[in-house]
């Protein structure tokens, strides 16, 4: 170098050992000038590659760009001017040194390159160039030193030695500075970029380099979130690469590739197996032959590249991590050496700051990169699972419940997202450990091995604790799953539980599970406390052991400040990877389980789309089956065998047969839902399908009918008319815009079925498959639907219709009838032919059809117009419709009212939070009800609470934990930090002995005190963790208990207006947060809070000057924290609200797959699901960015603390000893972490404490009357006669609604059989609900055997009545549990009841007998069998009063006859009240009560009523009975 410059390159006397440092001219002209150029040329190839790959379209030449280019050209000119000046000198014999030729040449070419880059970036659409900003920045930094040197030299000499170069240099400096400033501005968006239609694009895409580096682009949202709670419309739309369909498409492509490869490998293996000789085959058999496609590989292919980028950031950050301890060591040496020039100290302090800031910026780029990748990962997995769920076979669906599939999507996909950020630790942790040990070895030599050995020994201990906790967690997950499953069933069948008074039995079951869950939780909380103890004590013990060994090994080893505190800071770095490893390993094991589960799900069999031939078919036919044999699953026996069916185009075919003969299976086989074992199925044309149990989506009624087709008003109107939905629309609050709850909760069975039918009519398909749609509706409605929709005159005439039915009256109008028996076709033919054939069908008909029915049918095809309308206000308001109309809307209005109140009030605090519902007076209520009619939303949107979490919620939780416990925890923390500070101060004193030049003789004392303080600190931590665990458990128990008991006591109306998902969410998500998240969060919060405070205390004590900057720093910190918490809390709330629709949509889809596939709507549903995931991501993405935004700002405050601690140490170096400086700076280096965690934990606590608020809200809802009133219990054996009397009885569903029953006076004598009939909405069901006090009287009373039912407890009343409800609901568990949950009856009684309910043969054929497991909702029994189980329940109870609620609607006539016969014989002396659809069942009753609009219209014996020719006569005439 010296020859290049012709002078000395480096001179330490000039540069280091002086109070006025400078660099040699040679150094300035060579290395310093080349540094920026070297950087630019080094990054060039990679940058060009990147630009070639990513083009955004070109940017029009702007003024800014022209200016930048002009500056570049000028800089190039300046450099060449320098070069020519050197040549000029050479010609004139001055002979400048070679460096004056080389440097201008290098700089000139580089400036030219920079100018060209500016233009190339413009053509590739780069708005802000990071590469060039860094280049100009380096140019300016490297030019600052010559800038100072040249002025100092000129002042020293009194004249300028080289005026030309002096001038060019300052022009160069000015130009470079201008270039730097200009490059910080960003260009306009590219010209040909796709026009951004986003109303609210994410600012990150167009943000400049510096804005991206510091996440400044997020600030706008942070400010907005601070000003007012964020709403969904404030969120940015997603970047193209983050959108679901893009991500899912990439992942699916990779997965399909894996599947192809696996299939190829499978083939190859099979081929090898065939080639081998006999022996080889034997050997090969030992090996697993199955080659499964690897989902992990698919994930790596899709998301690997993004991971690599993050790895690069992580590597730089890890290396920078180790510079600060080195700088600390230099700083302590500087303090120990009074001769050192002061500027060294300032330089070290500055370097520490620069190093920390760089580290912060890089770390957050890394995090941002990795978290966004993790988010995409989750999106991809959710999308792939959703698409798979639409294609799986029924056997797969049977093995995994809806809940399990939703779990794959919610829990398992989330696990992947959670583990992603830790994956880089797999290589980064070992790297950090090696580097730390290397640096420690430099300081304390081999003694470091003692500390490392201890750490390594603690790893298995940590691992063991983690494994044990993992095991507990798995067990606890099982318990939690079973508790949630039970809760979900309880909520599904809550009405039945209330009617049977079975709540206590189920309450006991839930509490039993909860108790075992809490025991496990307690154990894992104690383990958690032990692991916290290890975590806190490890760094301390390791320091203790290392320093102890170091001091004791050799007398000459003296502990000074540098060794002590640099070791401490290195051990602190080491602590993180070593503690993360066990956590990473347990996370990885969890994720690998999830991976297996997802992979297993993805390789399950899919339905064969080719199973039904859609293209070719024999001419004239619409549907043919040739020799078809079908099964539900490969391992089950076939349900249908050797079917041969041909259905001509446009025919109406009825399929009839007894229960369980395979009628519904036949329809499924036609849809391709069953597995075809042999034969051929062909169907030509589009298909519509109406399932037996209507599948209704949670959207408006109109959307349910249109089902994704565009609206054609005429066709739509016709469909509604034909399906008799117009009268319903008048009654429903929002007409056809009424929102229908999940599973059609706010509609009666009949309405659901008719909507399902309207969907089929509107779809205008060629083939319509109808699976018994007429069973759920009244006879006259059934007739209307047959005439107007299905029959020869109906809207579907001309289409091919396959109708599964139990109703006989319509059979004469069909083209032909298929009679099934035991899965085979027993007879086929037109009605008349089958009657003449005199086979099983004919005898079946003779038994059931009234004699005159045949003649009736011909004459009476349509009803008279006027009568029609009256008929059709029919089953509109059945069981629970009006229960659900307007409460939520009242609640909305009430909330609106509250909101106005609160904005008027001075604080404007809780924005209409539901906790503060006020009762409004009656005048206001009426207003609301009318408003309710307008909107038609059933269930109010789940609202995101806004604003601050109220202090009362924290108090609620503290009370639940226990006030004394809370205080004890705080106290323990104070003591623990005192111990920690004590230990550090003791260490600093000890290390100062070395500088006092005295021989240490009391090593053992020093070590002993240090050890005692440290161990004490650990024990206190453990104690506080134990205390917190106890408190947390206590709170979890109390909160769950009050929630559960309140829900069990809630009135039925609550469950009708609140979606079960929302209540379940309280029991699952919120209870989980209270169980497992809150206590650790609070512990972490206390940890960070106290450690931040102790840091400040230590720094202020050692350098009192620091107190000056505490206030501004604290202000900055609080300022950032307030902005962050407000925004991030709201983002988190929005995120959790937008998450549940993904899962509810998924479970809705899974239950309706057959309908979705039948209508070929799979793709639309995929798009719908993607949209829901995107909406969720829209709040996730800013949430991730908000954490980075906060991190950078908070860490900046932390870095300032480091800077000032070091600066003040340098300033006060005369009065400070090295021990104190080491203490204060090593504490300062840790503060960044604590400050960051502190804000995080505060906001986490605020987000999570919401769970307490939500649970509390549902623990305080109003309850029904007490179950037992001790003071007035009915006498034993009540009611003796079963006499029922309604006196002036009126009832409404909820306050503010109209009366449903008005002034009812009915007297039923004991033992009478009374049939209750009336058009739907007349109040039939309401009457029975009143008897059970599901509805409480508005006025009047009901007396049973003279006792007013309102005066006794609900259970005393309900346990003495028996009902066979309309929907037969079973709970999962044994059959015995379903019949007798309290174990009140003997085995003989139960068998007796089964015998009478005709289930004896079925149950005794089951290997488990009474312990036969019913699946969820009794899915493994047919609807008819479930109804018989309900009958058996009634037979067991044998109470005086029996209520039958339309129980025979879904059953074939034979079963119906069995039930009716049983009731006649077994309940001979009981009072029986029957709500009837089929009049022939009640024609022999004592009296018949006809209700009309909630009033008694007629009440007399059937013969008298027919003679009177009133309403009843009309109904009987419709049914062909009069």
């Amino acid at each position: 170098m010296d020859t290049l410059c012709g002078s000395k390159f480096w001179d330490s006397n000039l540069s280091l050992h002086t109070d006025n440092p400078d660099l040699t001219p040679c150094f300035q002209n060579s290395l310093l000038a080349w540094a920026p150029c070297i950087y630019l040329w080094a990054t060039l190839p990679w940058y060009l590659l990147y630009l070639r790959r990513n083009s955004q379209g070109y940017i029009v030449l702007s003024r800014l760009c022209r200016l930048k280019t002009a500056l570049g050209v000028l800089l190039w000119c300046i450099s060449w001017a320098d070069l020519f000046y050197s040549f000029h000198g050479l010609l004139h014999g001055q002979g400048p040194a070679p460096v004056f030729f080389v440097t201008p040449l290098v700089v000139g070419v580089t400036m030219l390159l920079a100018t060209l880059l500016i233009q190339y970036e413009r053509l590739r659409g780069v708005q802000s160039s990071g590469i060039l900003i860094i280049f100009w920045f380096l140019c300016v930094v490297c030019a600052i030193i010559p800038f100072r040197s040249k002025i100092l030299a000129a002042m020293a000499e009194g004249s300028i030695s080289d005026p030309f170069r002096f001038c060019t240099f300052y022009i160069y400096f000015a130009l470079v500075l201008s270039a730097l400033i200009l490059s910080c501005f960003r260009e306009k968006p590219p010209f040909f970029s796709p026009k951004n239609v986003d109303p609210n694009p994410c600012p990150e895409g167009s943000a400049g380099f510096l804005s991206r580096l510091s996440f400044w682009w997020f600030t706008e949202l942070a400010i907005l979130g601070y000003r007012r709670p964020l709403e969904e419309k404030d969120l940015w739309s997603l970047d193209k690469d983050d959108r679901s369909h893009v991500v899912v498409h990439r992942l699916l492509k990779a997965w399909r590739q894996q599947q192809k490869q696996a299939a190829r490998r499978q083939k190859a293996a099979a081929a090898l197996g065939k080639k081998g000789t006999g022996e080889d085959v034997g050997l090969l058999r030992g090996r697993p032959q199955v080659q499964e496609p690897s989902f992990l590989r698919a994930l790596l292919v899709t998301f690997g590249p993004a991971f690599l980028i993050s790895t690069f950031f992580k590597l730089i950050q890890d290396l920078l991590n180790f510079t600060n301890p080195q700088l600390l060591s230099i700083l302590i040496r500087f303090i120990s050496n009074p001769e050192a020039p002061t500027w060294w100290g300032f330089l070290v302090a500055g370097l520490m700051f620069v190093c920390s800031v760089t580290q912060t910026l890089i770390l957050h780029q890394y995090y941002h990169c990795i978290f966004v990748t993790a988010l995409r990962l989750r999106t991809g997995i959710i999308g792939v699972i959703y698409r798979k769920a639409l294609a799986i076979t029924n056997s797969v669906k049977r093995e995994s419940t809806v809940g399990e599939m939703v779990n794959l999507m919610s829990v398992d996909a989330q696990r992947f997202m959670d583990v992603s950020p830790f994956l880089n630790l797999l290589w980064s942790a070992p790297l950090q450990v090696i580097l730390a040990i290397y640096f420690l070895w430099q300081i304390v030599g081999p003694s470091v091995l003692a500390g490392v050995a201890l750490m390594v020994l603690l790893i298995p201990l940590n691992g063991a604790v983690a494994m044990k906790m993992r095991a507990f967690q798995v067990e606890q997950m099982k318990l939690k799953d079973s508790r949630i499953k039970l809760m979900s069933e309880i909520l599904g069948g809550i009405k039945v539980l209330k009617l049977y008074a079975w709540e206590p039995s189920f309450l006991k079951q839930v509490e039993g599970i909860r108790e075992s869950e809490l025991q496990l939780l307690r154990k894992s909380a104690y383990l958690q406390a032990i692991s916290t103890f290890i975590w806190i004590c490890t760094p301390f013990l390791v320091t203790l052991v290392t320093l102890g060994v170091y001091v004791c090994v050799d007398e000459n080893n003296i502990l000074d400040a540098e060794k002590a505190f640099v070791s401490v800071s290195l051990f602190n770095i080491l602590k993180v990877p070593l503690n993360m490893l066990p956590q990473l390993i347990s996370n990885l094991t969890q994720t690998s389980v999830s991976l297996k589960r997802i992979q297993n799900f993805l390789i399950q069999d899919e339905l064969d789309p080719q199973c039904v031939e859609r293209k070719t078919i024999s001419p004239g036919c619409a549907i043919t089956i040739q020799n078809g044999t079908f099964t539900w699953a490969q391992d089950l026996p076939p349900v249908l065998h050797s079917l041969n069916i041909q259905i001509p185009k446009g025919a109406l075919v009825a399929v009839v047969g007894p229960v369980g003969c395979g009628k519904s299976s036949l329809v499924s086989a036609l849809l391709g839902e069953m597995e075809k074992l042999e034969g051929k199925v062909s169907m030509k044309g589009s298909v519509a399908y109406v399932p037996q149990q209507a599948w209704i989506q949670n959207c408006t009624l109109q959307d349910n009918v249109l089902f994704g087709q565009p609206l054609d008003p005429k066709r739509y109107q016709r469909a509604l008319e034909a399906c008799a939905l117009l009268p319903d629309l008048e009654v429903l609050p929002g007409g056809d815009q009424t929102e229908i709850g999940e599973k059609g909760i706010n509609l009666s069975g009949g309405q659901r079925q008719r909507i399902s039918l309207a969907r089929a009519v509107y779809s205008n398909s060629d083939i319509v498959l109808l699976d018994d749609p007429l069973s759920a509706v009244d006879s006259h409605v059934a007739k209307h639907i047959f005439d107007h929709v299905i029959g020869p005159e109906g809207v579907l005439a001309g289409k091919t219709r396959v109708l599964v039915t139990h109703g006989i009256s319509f059979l004469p109008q069909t083209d032909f009838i298929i009679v099934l028996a035991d899965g085979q076709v027993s007879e086929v033919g037109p009605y008349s032919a089958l009657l003449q054939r005199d086979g099983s069908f004919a005898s079946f008909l003779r038994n059931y059809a009234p004699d005159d029915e045949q003649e009736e049918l011909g004459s009476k095809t349509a009803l008279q117009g006027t009568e029609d309308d009256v008929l059709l206000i029919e089953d509109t308001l059945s069981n629970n419709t009006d229960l659900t109309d307007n409460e939520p809307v009242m609640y909305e209005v009430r909330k609106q009212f509250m909101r106005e109140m609160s904005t008027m009030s001075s604080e404007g605090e809780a924005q209409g939070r539901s906790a503060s519902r006020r009762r409004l007076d009656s005048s206001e209520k009426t207003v609301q009800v009318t408003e309710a009619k307008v909107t038609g939303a059933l269930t109010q949107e789940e609202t995101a609470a806004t604003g601050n979490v109220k202090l009362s919620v924290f108090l609620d939780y503290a009370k639940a934990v226990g006030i004394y416990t809370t205080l004890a925890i705080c106290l323990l923390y104070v003591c623990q930090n005192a111990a920690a500070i004590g230990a550090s101060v003791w260490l600093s004193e000890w290390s100062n002995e070395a500088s006092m030049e005295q021989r240490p003789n009391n090593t053992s004392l020093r070590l002993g005190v240090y050890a005692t303080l440290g161990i004490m600190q650990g024990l206190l931590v453990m104690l506080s963790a134990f205390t917190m665990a106890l408190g947390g458990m206590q709170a979890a128990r109390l909160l769950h208990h009050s929630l559960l008991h309140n829900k069990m006591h809630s009135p039925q109306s609550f469950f009708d207006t609140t979606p079960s998902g929302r209540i379940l969410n309280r029991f699952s998500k919120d209870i989980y947060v209270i169980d497992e998240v809150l206590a650790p969060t609070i512990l972490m919060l206390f940890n960070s809070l106290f450690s931040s405070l102790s840091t400040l205390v230590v720094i202020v004590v050692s350098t009192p000057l620091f107190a000056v900057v505490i206030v501004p720093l604290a202000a900055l910190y609080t300022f950032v924290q307030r902005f962050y918490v407000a925004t991030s809390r709201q983002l988190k709330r929005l995120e959790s609200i937008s998450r549940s629709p993904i899962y509810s949509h998924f479970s809705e889809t899974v239950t309706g797959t057959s309908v979705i596939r039948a209508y070929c709507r799979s793709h639309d549903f995929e798009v719908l699901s993607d949209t829901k995931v995107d909406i969720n991501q829209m709040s996730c993405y800013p949430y991730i960015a908000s954490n980075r935004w906060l991190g950078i700002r908070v860490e900046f405050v932390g870095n300032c603390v480091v800077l000032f601690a070091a600066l003040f140490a340098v300033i006060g170096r005369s009065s400070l000893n090295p021990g104190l400086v080491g203490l204060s700076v090593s504490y300062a280096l840790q503060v960044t972490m604590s400050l960051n965690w502190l804000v995080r934990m505060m906001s986490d606590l605020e987000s999570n404490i919401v769970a307490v608020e939500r649970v509390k809200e549902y623990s305080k809802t109003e309850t029904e009357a007490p179950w037992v009133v001790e003071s007035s219990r009915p006498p034993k054996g009540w009611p003796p006669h079963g006499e029922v009397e309604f006196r002036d009885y009126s009832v409404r569903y909820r306050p503010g609604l109209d009366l449903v029953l008005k002034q009812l006076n009915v007297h039923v004598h004991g033992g009478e059989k009374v049939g209750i009939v009336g058009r739907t909405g007349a109040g039939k069901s309401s009457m029975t609900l009143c008897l059970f006090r599901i509805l409480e009287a508005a006025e009047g009373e009901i007396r049973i055997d003279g006792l007013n039912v309102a005066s006794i407890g609900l259970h005393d009343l309900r346990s003495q009545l028996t009902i066979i409800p309309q929907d037969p609901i079973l709970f999962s568990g044994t059959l015995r549990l379903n019949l007798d949950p309290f174990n009140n009856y003997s085995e003989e009684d139960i068998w007796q009841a089964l015998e009478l309910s005709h289930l004896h043969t079925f149950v005794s054929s089951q290997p488990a007998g009474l312990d036969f497991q019913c699946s969820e909702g009794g899915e493994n029994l047919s609807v008819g069998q479930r109804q018989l189980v309900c009958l058996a329940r009634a037979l067991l109870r044998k109470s005086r009063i029996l209520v039958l609620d339309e129980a025979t609607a879904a059953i074939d006539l034979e079963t119906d006859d069995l039930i009716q016969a049983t009731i006649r014989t077994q309940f001979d002396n009981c009072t029986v009240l029957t709500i009837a659809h089929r009049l022939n069942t009640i024609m022999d009753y004592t009296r018949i009560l006809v209700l009309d609009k909630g009033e008694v219209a007629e009440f007399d014996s059937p013969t008298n009523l027919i003679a009177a020719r009133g309403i009843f006569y009309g109904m009987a005439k419709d049914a062909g009975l009069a």
Side-chain angles (χ1 to χ4, degrees), residues 36-51 110 113-114 117-118 121 126 128-139 180 183 208-210 213 312:
C37 307
I38 295 170
Y39 153 79
L40 190 62
W41 287 98
T43 50
L44 183 70
W46 307 108
Y47 190 46
L48 287 177
L49 191 71
Y50 166 79
L51 286 178
T110 310
L113 172 69
L117 257 183
I118 291 172
E121 284 177 341
V126 176
S128 170
S129 163
I131 295 281
L132 284 178
I133 290 184
I134 297 174
F135 170 69
W136 295 124
F137 178 68
L138 285 176
C139 287
L180 174 65
S183 65
F209 172 72
L210 294 176
L213 199 59
F312 170 70

Side-chain angles (χ1 to χ4, degrees), residues 209-372:
F209 172 72
L210 294 176
S211 167
R212 280 187 163 194
L213 199 59
S214 61
F215 291 89
W216 186 257
W217 53 271
F218 181 80
T219 310
E220 204 178 324
L221 194 69
I223 293 171
L224 183 66
Y226 180 69
R227 288 204 183 129
R228 65 172 171 77
L230 292 174
E231 294 161 32
E232 204 177 297
K233 61 171 195 295
D234 302 321
L235 302 176
W236 306 309
S237 39
L238 288 174
D239 207 31
K240 188 172 131 286
D241 295 333
D242 294 323
R243 299 236 164 112
S244 281
H245 64 96
V246 178
V247 177
V248 177
H249 178 71
R250 281 171 51 207
L251 182 55
L252 265 179
K253 199 165 133 193
W255 171 240
R256 299 250 159 81
Q257 199 59 40
Q258 287 302 321
Q259 283 177 309
K260 279 182 197 151
Q261 284 174 10
R264 276 205 295 272
R265 287 199 296 270
Q266 191 82 18
K267 268 187 193 159
L272 268 177
K274 277 181 192 159
K275 275 183 203 161
T277 58
E279 288 170 42
D280 292 0
V281 175
L283 281 172
L284 276 169
R285 240 178 231 143
R287 291 184 211 152
Q289 287 267 319
V290 182
Q291 294 274 343
E292 288 187 355
S294 154
F295 187 57
L296 182 63
R297 278 209 193 113
L299 289 174
L300 285 176
V301 169
T302 318
F303 303 106
F307 255 92
L308 281 176
I309 297 172
S310 68
T311 307
F312 170 70
F313 283 130
K314 179 77 177 138
L315 181 65
I316 298 178
Q317 197 268 332
D318 282 351
L319 296 176
L320 279 173
N321 214 354
F322 286 96
T323 47
N324 269 338
Q326 303 308 313
L327 290 169
L328 172 64
S329 137
I330 296 174
L331 185 68
I332 295 176
R333 252 182 272 161
F334 162 76
I335 299 283
S336 324
N337 173 11
E339 275 82 63
T342 314
W343 66 269
W344 283 13
F346 291 123
L347 181 68
V348 171
L351 280 175
M352 273 185 154
F353 181 67
V354 169
C355 176
S356 302
V357 170
T358 317
Q359 203 180 330
T360 296
L361 293 176
I362 287 179
L363 179 67
H364 289 287
Q365 286 308 316
Y366 158 70
Y367 275 142
H368 188 62
C369 181
I370 199 103
F371 275 110
V372 170

Side-chain angles (χ1 to χ4, degrees), residues 1228-1267:
L1229 286 175
Q1230 286 176 63
V1231 78
T1232 322
M1233 194 74 167
S1234 320
L1235 288 178
N1236 208 337
W1237 273 111
L1238 183 61
V1239 182
R1240 279 289 187 63
M1241 288 299 133
M1242 277 163 91
S1243 84
D1244 268 4
L1245 182 63
E1246 282 210 5
S1247 313
N1248 287 322
I1249 201 88
V1250 176
V1252 177
E1253 185 174 20
R1254 288 161 50 110
V1255 167
K1256 272 291 191 197
E1257 173 196 349
Y1258 271 28
S1259 310
K1260 290 177 180 165
T1261 54
E1262 60 176 320
T1263 53
E1264 54 187 2
W1267 286 346

Side-chain angles (χ1 to χ4, degrees), residues 147-165:
F147 186 93
R148 170 176 174 270
S149 294
K150 286 191 187 318
I151 293 176
L152 286 177
M155 282 166 70
E157 291 171 21
S159 67
I160 297 169
S161 56
D162 190 345
F164 182 80
R165 288 204 176 94

Side-chain angles (χ1 to χ4, degrees), residues 855-917:
E855 302 94 74
E856 285 275 337
L857 286 167
S859 63
K860 197 179 71 194
T861 41
L863 297 160
Q864 291 69 37
T866 49
E867 208 175 326
D868 226 12
D869 295 340
V870 186
L871 275 182
L872 287 180
I873 310 267
E874 60 84 29
D875 76 344
T876 308
L877 277 170
S878 141
N879 26 9
N880 55 8
T881 329
D882 17 20
L883 264 152
T884 50
D885 288 345
N886 8 38
E887 168 69 346
V889 191
M890 277 163 65
Y891 173 26
E892 279 302 303
V893 178
R894 198 180 297 150
K895 253 186 5 205
Q896 193 51 49
F897 173 72
M898 285 302 310
R899 202 163 286 161
E900 280 150 20
M901 287 290 296
S902 73
T903 22
M904 291 190 285
S905 74
S906 52
E907 313 85 32
E909 156 61 310
Q911 299 211 345
R913 197 63 192 97
S914 44
S916 45
R917 300 181 183 180

Side-chain angles (χ1 to χ4, degrees), residues 974-1153:
V974 174
C975 301
Q976 176 227 319
N977 275 294
I981 293 179
S984 301
V985 171
W986 184 260
L987 184 65
S988 127
E989 286 300 311
W990 181 8
S991 64
N992 278 334
E993 281 187 356
S995 56
M996 305 294 184
E997 298 299 329
Q998 65 202 48
R999 301 293 303 156
N1001 49 9
N1002 50 359
T1003 311
S1004 49
L1005 169 74
R1006 290 287 185 189
L1007 265 179
V1009 173
Y1010 186 53
T1012 314
L1013 284 167
I1015 305 283
M1016 207 167 96
Q1017 174 198 357
L1019 288 174
L1020 287 166
V1021 174
M1022 191 148 126
L1023 260 178
S1024 53
F1026 270 126
T1027 323
M1028 189 69 221
L1030 279 172
M1033 286 306 96
Q1034 173 72 5
R1037 171 178 282 115
L1038 281 175
L1039 290 166
H1040 180 268
H1041 183 265
S1042 61
L1043 173 68
L1044 179 65
H1045 279 259
N1046 179 284
K1047 281 301 129 276
M1048 284 300 202
H1049 284 275
S1050 292
Q1052 180 63 36
S1053 58
F1054 174 82
F1055 298 100
D1056 290 328
T1057 52
T1058 317
S1060 61
R1062 196 171 300 172
I1063 305 172
L1064 262 186
N1065 218 346
R1066 301 290 187 280
F1067 278 102
S1068 54
K1069 184 78 179 14
D1070 294 331
I1071 289 289
Y1072 158 75
V1073 167
I1074 291 168
D1075 284 352
E1076 297 180 49
V1077 181
L1078 272 181
T1081 305
I1082 291 172
L1083 276 183
M1084 295 282 282
L1085 176 69
F1086 277 168
N1087 255 337
S1088 342
L1089 176 67
F1090 283 108
S1091 87
S1092 307
L1093 288 177
S1094 54
T1095 304
L1096 294 180
V1097 170
V1098 167
I1099 299 179
V1100 170
V1101 169
S1102 51
T1103 45
L1105 246 181
F1106 186 79
V1108 181
V1109 291
I1110 281 189
V1111 177
L1113 283 179
L1116 177 62
Y1117 181 73
T1118 333
F1119 182 67
V1120 168
Q1121 189 253 355
R1122 282 319 315 153
F1123 270 101
Y1124 165 77
V1125 169
T1127 307
S1128 96
R1129 180 182 54 221
Q1130 205 54 21
L1131 284 171
K1132 195 147 189 189
R1133 279 173 179 166
L1134 287 172
E1135 194 271 330
S1136 57
I1137 284 176
S1138 62
R1139 196 181 322 144
S1140 35
I1142 301 176
Y1143 307 140
S1144 52
H1145 172 70
F1146 179 59
S1147 54
E1148 188 174 86
T1149 307
V1150 174
T1151 45
T1153 39

Side-chain angles (χ1 to χ4, degrees), residues 1170-1183:
D1170 285 351
T1171 315
K1172 289 189 189 309
V1173 175
D1174 282 347
I1175 290 173
N1176 177 245
Q1177 282 200 87
M1178 275 165 59
S1179 48
C1180 276
Y1181 193 83
Y1183 181 67

